[in-house]
Amino acid sequence: MAKAGSLLAVLGLLAGTGLAQQTGTPPTPQTAPMVPVQQAAPAPLPVLTSTQAFQLATLLSEGRFSHGLVRTAPADELAGTDNDALVRAALDYAHAVHSGRLDTGDFDPNWGLRPAPYDPLPAFADAVKRNDLARWIESLWPRYAGYDGLRKGLDTYRRIDAAGGWSALAAGPDLTIGTTGARVIALRKRLAIEDAQVATTSDTYDADLAEAVKRAQRRYGLNPTGAVAAQTRAALNVPAADRVRQIMANMERWRWLPGDLPKNRIQVNIAAAVLTVFDGDAPIASMKAVTGAPGGRETPMLQSKIHSIVLNPPWNVPPGIAAKELFPKGPAYLASHGFKVIGEGPNKRLQQVPGKSALGRYKFDFANPYAVYLHDTPSQATFNSFDRLASHGCVRLEKPAPLARLLLRNEAAWPPETLQAAVDKGDTVRVPLSPENQVAVFLLYWTAFQGQDGIMNFRGDPYGWDKTLAAKIEARSASKAAAAGK
């Protein structure tokens, strides 16, 4: 998805040239003669000194590894490379670590985040001129605590993988307090690799081990029961090498974000189904969410701004949902659940009235090409689950009322008591946010992230986007390598 305002900028440019209003047949060559376009010559590549070439080759090898652009330890593959090839390698590295490695055509339609256009050559040329290549290299990567946490996690899990990783836990009955034997010893050894508090000598599943299992379950987004059943065993059995690749995929997605995130913003982690509110760049509140189910109902990644809140919203049912899930249930079901049929024939559609609407009492609107939004829900049961990927793509919120009050706190006409009275009245009301109070919203897909305690957390890859991203990066890298070899 284009960044906010970019479409308006394009339309403004077209209006300025008269193209936005142009109708009818285009001008003939006699009225608008064709003028050959002179292609600008490419800028010459900077020429490095021998000292700069050695330094740059070393920095690139180290940077490729530490930022997860390559899987294996740095080598001297760039040593002795000719000037132009080394410079192009530096420019490719800069683009990869600053904006990612995908071309526009590589993005899945649901990956609505797009890195801004970036040309590393001017800054690189200046760094060569000033003999300041180290500072230039250091300036490239995203300056986010989340990205830095992943870099540290990458180093940790690479070390674990290099040391042999961990052995898979054998299948068998659930492990609970009181269990003894070799499987308990194996569990202790497995947990101790990620958790230094775990003792590895006892073969008894005691209360301390149960607490260690709960810590692991929280790290993996599982129900912290303290017992090891199939789901927990499966999470613990994901190989260390796969965790390394998972971290690398998430680092790539960080590079798609704008250079500076708004200090006041809302972030939704789609994979974890959690919403977090940031104020002054610090998290001040979070709540459970319900995000899109895999298999065609995914919640897209995007960035936008919440521009209004709709109180007591009706639900205008998307045509696909109406046709596949609701119309087949018949008129009696539709009437009893508050659905109105609007129109007739092939153009008929469904709307669910306020009070019975699946959107609950609050709907948070932001511009996006996917027709998704944040909203309340009268169905609260899903929030009690640790697997909350169940929506049709929109994001359901556990605590929408406090979020509405927070977003309206600087709107003089909407103090909490006025807001509550409007909600209680039941009428549909759209409350626009003043431009200065509109809040940035980011829907992001994080399956690996550092917790507030500095420990790596992992989630499943419910949409398969980690694997898809890795495949696209490998294909793009192979394509570039083939082109370079011609």
Side-chain angles (χ1 to χ4, degrees):
M1 180 181 124
K3 289 185 172 57
S6 62
L7 180 58
L8 292 177
V10 171
L11 291 176
L13 176 61
L14 293 177
T17 61
L19 294 177
Q21 291 79 27
Q22 181 175 314
T23 58
T25 55
T28 65
Q30 286 73 25
T31 58
M34 299 296 291
V35 178
V37 177
Q38 297 295 325
Q39 297 292 334
L45 297 179
V47 177
L48 306 168
T49 67
S50 58
T51 301
Q52 287 176 327
F54 177 81
Q55 180 191 28
L56 184 59
T58 302
L59 290 171
L60 292 180
S61 294
E62 294 173 350
R64 285 174 171 177
F65 186 67
S66 67
H67 288 278
L69 303 182
V70 295
R71 295 182 184 178
T72 56
D76 294 331
E77 72 274 11
L78 295 175
T81 304
D82 69 75
N83 182 85
D84 285 5
L86 182 57
V87 169
R88 291 191 183 96
L91 298 178
D92 285 345
Y93 168 83
H95 197 280
V97 79
H98 184 275
S99 302
R101 287 165 283 180
L102 300 186
D103 284 352
T104 300
D106 295 326
F107 280 79
D108 183 282
N110 279 316
W111 300 353
L113 293 173
R114 295 289 189 278
Y118 172 64
D119 179 6
L121 180 55
F124 174 74
D126 184 62
V128 172
K129 181 179 179 180
R130 293 183 292 105
N131 197 28
D132 200 9
L133 289 172
R135 188 189 300 272
W136 176 74
I137 287 283
E138 185 66 17
S139 72
L140 296 173
W141 52 277
R143 286 304 190 270
Y144 305 125
Y147 183 86
D148 193 45
L150 288 177
R151 283 188 69 194
K152 295 174 182 176
L154 179 63
D155 179 67
T156 298
Y157 280 82
R158 274 176 164 160
R159 292 175 186 273
I160 293 173
D161 185 38
W166 46 70
S167 299
L169 300 175
D174 293 356
L175 298 176
T176 59
I177 289 180
T179 304
T180 60
R183 291 179 65 222
V184 175
I185 295 176
L187 173 63
R188 287 181 176 276
K189 291 180 178 178
R190 165 64 185 89
L191 292 174
I193 294 173
E194 294 180 289
D195 186 346
Q197 300 180 55
V198 180
T200 59
T201 53
S202 173
D203 71 346
T204 299
Y205 200 117
D206 55 18
D208 286 342
L209 183 56
E211 287 302 313
V213 169
K214 289 179 182 180
R215 291 195 296 273
Q217 289 167 329
R218 292 188 185 98
R219 291 196 303 273
Y220 293 118
L222 304 176
N223 186 9
T225 62
V228 177
Q231 192 178 37
T232 299
R233 187 173 63 251
L236 291 171
N237 281 350
V238 173
D242 286 3
R243 294 304 186 194
V244 169
R245 286 189 285 271
Q246 193 172 0
I247 293 171
M248 291 166 67
N250 282 266
M251 291 175 72
E252 180 75 6
R253 283 192 282 268
W254 273 105
R255 299 176 187 125
W256 303 346
L257 293 176
D260 291 304
L261 287 174
K263 294 186 181 299
N264 299 332
R265 64 186 184 275
I266 290 171
Q267 288 182 194
V268 175
N269 184 343
I270 300 167
V274 171
L275 177 145
T276 304
V277 180
F278 287 79
D279 186 67
D281 212 27
I284 62 168
S286 66
M287 68 182 73
K288 296 175 183 177
V290 175
T291 51
R297 301 192 297 176
E298 293 84 356
T299 296
M301 289 186 281
L302 61 83
Q303 66 176 86
S304 188
K305 276 190 175 182
I306 296 177
H307 58 69
S308 59
I309 304 171
V310 182
L311 309 180
N312 302 306
W315 181 33
N316 294 303
V317 184
I321 298 175
K324 294 178 182 178
E325 301 181 26
L326 295 174
F327 277 127
K329 295 184 177 181
Y333 174 89
L334 297 177
S336 66
H337 287 79
F339 289 101
K340 296 191 303 182
V341 179
I342 300 174
E344 55 186 35
N347 296 320
K348 68 180 180 180
R349 62 185 180 89
L350 283 179
Q351 184 185 78
Q352 194 175 33
V353 299
K356 292 190 175 182
S357 168
L359 306 186
R361 299 293 190 179
Y362 302 88
K363 175 172 173 272
F364 302 83
D365 276 344
F366 45 90
N368 69 90
Y370 304 97
V372 298
Y373 38 82
L374 312 180
H375 68 89
D376 184 16
T377 175
S379 177
Q380 297 292 306
T382 312
F383 294 117
N384 296 324
S385 172
F386 281 82
D387 180 7
R388 298 192 300 277
L389 281 77
S391 80
H392 286 84
C394 290
V395 179
R396 306 174 198 163
L397 303 181
E398 179 189 25
K399 301 174 182 178
L403 180 61
R405 291 194 294 268
L406 180 65
L407 296 184
L408 294 171
R409 69 191 185 280
N410 294 321
E411 298 286 351
W414 289 95
E417 57 273 15
T418 301
L419 175 64
Q420 189 59 53
V423 170
D424 293 342
K425 187 177 180 182
D427 293 340
T428 299
V429 178
R430 179 176 291 277
V431 182
L433 296 175
S434 303
E436 65 272 16
N437 293 329
Q438 295 180 10
V439 177
V441 59
F442 291 83
L443 308 187
L444 307 169
Y445 188 78
W446 299 138
T447 62
F449 53 92
Q450 189 181 65
Q452 293 185 353
D453 56 2
I455 302 298
M456 283 300 302
N457 284 244
F458 296 98
R459 297 295 183 267
D461 182 16
Y463 299 167
W465 285 354
D466 286 349
K467 294 178 181 177
T468 300
L469 177 58
K472 288 179 177 290
I473 288 173
E474 288 173 3
R476 177 59 54 188
S477 299
S479 175
K480 287 186 176 181
K486 291 181 179 179

